[in-house]
Amino acid sequence: MPMFESITEKISNIFKNLRGLGKLSEQNIAEALGEIRSALLSADVNFSVANNFIQRVKTQCLGQVVIQNVTPEQQFTKIIFDELVKLLGDESAPELSSKRPLKILLVGLHGSGKTTTAVKLAKFLKTKANFSRPLTIGCDIYRPAATDQLETLSQQTAIDCYVDHNCKNVIEIAHSGVRYAEKNGCDLLLFDTAGRLQIDENLIREIRDISAKIQPDEVFLVADSALGQEAANVARSFHAAVPLTGIILTKLDGDSRGGAALSMKEVTGVPIRYVGTGEKIESLEIFHPSRIAQRILGMGDVVSLVEKAQEQIDEKQAKELEKKAKKGKFDMNDFLQQLQSIQKMGPMESLIKHFPGMHNIEIDPKTGDKMKHTQAIICSMTPKERSRPEIIDGSRRLRIAKGCGLSVQKVNMLLKNFKQIQVMMKKMKNSRANLASLLGM
Ligand code: GDP
Ligand code: MG
């Protein structure tokens, strides 16, 4: 797919330049973001979509925690990647409706690939999903060749096709198609509609009427990926006319720049479900946001590196914690160890300063103090007290408070919090959440 080549090239240049700098500063991050924004724009990504994207990346950078073994630049890449995936629609487009027969209405501009896609989808779902008898229904009566095209393609693919060359009423044809399907036990109905060069009132009215008549379970917008800047408007207008449940991007094998793919999900909230990758009937694929994002960034290696590093930290710590938590044996010693390992990473303030664009982020100045206090209190406990905090009575509390130079209330508070943590840890299966709750102390 040459489609994302130019944007891929631009973005990988941006990262190359970043790498050359050795160190990330707020300024070169800002510059990189500016360049990424213009790379998106020149790939025909919708203007506000590009702006929002950059904004989200910035916010993400602010929320990051330093991970050892990866450079900030690699982490930055990961953020861009994750946001790209989100922009493209996250991994899992919802399942097709489970209704049978399933009625899918295909809408879109003239030449976008509706007729071809109707047959492609019939074949695809027959082969890969649980449909035994798909039916294509020709609702484009304006060009005589259109129904012939649907009929021929369907025949070649051994798919049933309903057309009526004599009827001039689209709604009637659609309705007869449904009846034909009922009589013949078809479990998948694909309505191929007429397009226009541009969205106009007649087109909108017609697809609304058809939709009202047949009550489709899915309405897919078939869109040419070469639409460019127009993509956002087209998607929005169709979505306003008939609520779309999916988008099929066609001609991904062409040399368009990818902007349509990157804009349409964002402006409509409707997932891209399939992509057309060629003229052949077999050339239809499920859309995978992360694959596209990896291609755009051209750096799947960095992404997996960061993921691995994240997992390693989480896993090692979390496994031990989980073991103890399960046995109800998470005690003050573990807690102390946990606090120390967090502090090993450095004081909060300086940790955060290492991060792109974060010099002016506000962190609660008391967070660091709280952690220090907590440690001081635990350090004043005897090993026996640490492993069995429940023995800490009034006089022990007083002694601990004196030992660490903090008030008895603070000691009480910690003991109370710790009890909650223990309860929480027993309940929580998710190790990540454990760590987070400790950090939030
Ligand atoms: P419609 O007017 O929306 O029904 O569009 P058609 O289905 O007639 O398709 C218009 C043209 O685009 C035809 O020549 C198709 O072969 C071609 N086409 C459709 N999908 C794809 C695709 O994914 N890749 C390529 N290369 N061509 C496609
Ligand atoms: Mg057509």
Side-chain angles (χ1 to χ4, degrees):
M1 280 189 233
M3 178 170 158
F4 294 103
E5 255 165 30
S6 75
I7 186 169
T8 296
E9 199 183 309
K10 283 200 184 97
I11 290 193
S12 66
N13 277 337
I14 296 167
F15 283 110
K16 240 182 249 154
N17 292 341
L18 274 182
R19 230 165 292 160
L21 290 172
K23 218 178 158 194
L24 284 188
S25 71
E26 201 211 337
Q27 200 194 334
N28 52 45
I29 284 294
E31 274 164 22
L33 284 177
E35 283 168 36
I36 289 172
R37 183 172 165 278
S38 66
L40 293 173
L41 291 178
S42 64
D44 278 337
V45 174
N46 174 271
F47 183 75
S48 62
V49 170
N51 282 349
N52 291 341
F53 176 81
I54 296 299
Q55 205 48 54
R56 282 198 300 268
V57 171
K58 270 191 200 158
T59 316
Q60 280 292 312
C61 288
L62 291 177
Q64 281 292 300
V65 173
V66 166
I67 305 174
Q68 278 152 353
N69 302 331
V70 292
T71 66
E73 171 248 317
Q74 288 167 325
Q75 247 179 308
F76 180 61
T77 310
K78 175 68 165 46
I79 294 176
I80 304 264
F81 172 78
D82 287 343
E83 284 302 326
L84 263 181
V85 174
K86 272 189 221 156
L87 188 67
L88 290 163
D90 281 331
E91 198 38 72
S92 46
E95 297 267 309
L96 281 180
S97 158
S98 58
K99 281 228 192 90
R100 298 294 181 271
L102 182 71
K103 289 176 276 185
I104 302 180
L105 178 62
L106 297 173
V107 301
L109 293 181
H110 179 80
S112 60
K114 292 177 298 301
T115 304
T116 317
T117 304
V119 182
K120 280 182 175 181
L121 202 53
K123 171 94 191 275
F124 183 92
L125 293 175
K126 189 180 177 184
T127 333
K128 308 239 155 91
N130 268 335
F131 292 97
S132 52
R133 195 156 178 204
L135 173 74
T136 56
I137 300 167
C139 300
D140 180 358
I141 53 167
Y142 306 103
R143 293 176 308 142
T147 38
D148 292 342
Q149 183 199 359
L150 183 71
E151 227 178 355
T152 312
L153 275 178
S154 300
Q155 263 167 19
Q156 286 167 355
T157 318
I159 299 289
D160 282 336
C161 178
Y162 179 85
V163 292
D164 185 339
H165 293 286
N166 302 315
C167 181
K168 290 283 162 258
N169 183 332
V170 180
I171 313 303
E172 221 167 84
I173 294 175
H175 185 60
S176 314
V178 175
R179 281 205 312 247
Y180 176 94
E182 282 164 5
K183 262 190 230 140
N184 291 278
C186 302
D187 53 359
L188 173 64
L189 283 67
L190 292 139
F191 296 86
D192 177 33
T193 61
R196 301 281 193 279
L197 287 175
Q198 305 225 294
I199 296 169
D200 63 29
E201 262 176 56
N202 289 333
L203 168 69
I204 296 295
R205 193 180 317 125
E206 182 171 296
I207 59 173
R208 271 193 187 142
D209 288 347
I210 296 177
S211 177
K213 184 76 188 176
I214 63 164
Q215 300 283 317
D217 306 298
E218 306 279 359
V219 182
F220 292 166
L221 172 65
V222 180
D224 189 329
S225 52
L227 266 177
Q229 281 290 330
E230 257 306 281
N233 286 334
V234 169
R236 221 182 265 127
S237 310
F238 272 103
H239 194 38
V242 267
L244 303 172
T245 60
I247 294 168
I248 302 180
L249 270 182
T250 59
K251 308 181 196 179
L252 235 71
D253 50 317
D255 56 3
S256 78
R257 286 170 290 182
L262 290 163
S263 309
M264 290 178 118
K265 157 71 180 35
E266 176 83 356
V267 296
T268 56
V270 174
I272 300 172
R273 302 224 190 203
Y274 305 96
V275 290
T277 55
E279 296 203 27
K280 286 201 190 117
I281 294 303
E282 292 72 34
S283 303
L284 185 80
E285 295 170 16
I286 289 181
F287 180 70
H288 293 290
S290 63
R291 281 187 211 164
I292 302 280
Q294 280 201 6
R295 231 200 12 241
I296 291 175
L297 287 182
M299 38 182 44
D301 46 338
V302 173
V303 171
S304 54
L305 173 75
V306 176
E307 271 167 3
K308 232 180 263 153
Q310 270 170 342
E311 278 165 19
Q312 272 169 12
I313 302 181
D314 288 358
E315 259 176 36
K316 237 177 45 200
Q317 292 183 334
K319 260 191 197 142
E320 283 170 24
L321 278 180
E322 242 171 41
K323 250 198 252 157
K324 295 206 158 159
K326 262 191 208 136
K327 291 186 202 150
K329 277 191 182 159
F330 182 82
D331 64 18
M332 286 276 182
N333 286 310
D334 302 310
F335 189 37
L336 184 63
Q337 201 190 339
Q338 208 53 57
L339 284 172
Q340 281 164 346
S341 77
I342 291 165
Q343 289 209 315
K344 246 189 252 156
M345 292 159 84
M348 285 291 174
E349 294 85 344
S350 71
L351 265 184
I352 282 168
K353 271 194 210 114
H354 285 304
F355 268 82
M358 290 195 213
H359 75 293
N360 54 4
I361 185 183
E362 278 192 38
I363 53 164
D364 183 357
K366 283 184 201 138
T367 306
D369 285 352
K370 261 195 214 160
M371 286 200 350
K372 272 184 220 141
H373 289 173
T374 305
Q375 279 193 53
I377 296 172
I378 301 176
C379 286
S380 299
M381 297 173 186
T382 65
K384 201 171 151 196
E385 286 166 346
R386 284 183 213 167
S387 59
R388 293 178 54 208
E390 64 278 5
I391 64 168
I392 306 178
D393 57 11
S395 67
R396 285 177 190 264
R397 283 174 202 225
L398 202 63
R399 194 207 78 240
I400 293 168
K402 270 192 192 145
C404 64
L406 292 163
S407 65
V408 180
Q409 278 116 302
K410 285 237 163 87
V411 177
N412 289 340
M413 184 103 84
L414 170 66
L415 288 168
K416 204 173 124 204
N417 285 343
F418 184 72
K419 245 186 219 156
Q420 282 168 356
I421 289 175
Q422 277 182 316
V423 172
M424 218 153 45
M425 295 209 35
K426 262 188 221 169
K427 278 190 207 155
M428 278 194 283
K429 287 188 206 97
N430 186 340
S431 47
R432 223 169 259 249
N434 288 335
L435 217 58
S437 74
L438 291 178
L439 274 162
M441 269 285 298

